Amino acid sequence: DFNPAYIDSKGEFVIGRRVGTTSQVSEVLFDLSQSGGYGLGISRRHAVIRWTEHGYEVLDLGSVNGTWLNDERLVPHKSYPLASGSHLRLGSMRLFVLYRPLAETKQKL
């Protein structure tokens, strides 16, 4: 089953589940609760994706059920480069990551 989801964030965002008001107000949350996140093993604050001067990177936030990038399990709290076309697995949920490079987006504005 394929369900596209989009997020527009130029800094960083957390992937996880919103539970009541437990999320930190200052962070952008890509909320997977409505996509069955709890049953698929998504932690409240599972991973973060952020832009750096070298491109996007992903970081597991010490999630209970782990994060994989292209079938490699991530060491918690360590950054990994995240290329467009990468496969992410958070718990049992599989995500396919596509993005336009930031420089390309700026030229089109």
Side-chain angles (χ1 to χ4, degrees):
D1 206 16
F2 177 73
N3 297 312
Y6 306 92
I7 189 161
D8 182 12
S9 177
K10 294 183 175 53
E12 73 176 43
F13 60 93
V14 172
I15 302 172
R17 296 180 293 111
R18 185 172 314 283
V19 179
T21 57
T22 58
S23 299
Q24 296 179 11
V25 177
S26 62
E27 69 187 12
V28 176
L29 177 68
F30 184 50
D31 184 9
L32 295 174
S33 5
Q34 299 299 315
S35 301
Y38 179 79
L40 294 171
I42 306 296
S43 296
R44 292 177 186 176
R45 297 184 78 249
H46 198 102
V48 66
I49 293 178
R50 61 185 169 209
W51 174 256
T52 71
E53 62 186 33
H54 304 291
Y56 285 100
E57 63 183 20
V58 61
L59 177 99
D60 180 90
L61 295 172
S63 64
V64 172
N65 295 306
T67 303
W68 285 257
L69 175 59
N70 300 322
D71 297 323
E72 175 189 348
R73 186 165 185 163
L74 304 187
V75 174
H77 307 289
K78 179 181 175 193
S79 299
Y80 293 81
L82 181 64
S84 184
S86 295
H87 293 264
L88 274 181
R89 181 162 60 97
L90 292 85
S92 297
M93 182 178 283
R94 296 183 181 276
L95 304 171
F96 182 64
V97 178
L98 287 176
Y99 62 83
R100 287 185 294 204
L102 199 55
E104 179 183 316
T105 305
K106 284 183 179 177
Q107 290 173 355
K108 291 184 177 182
L109 294 177

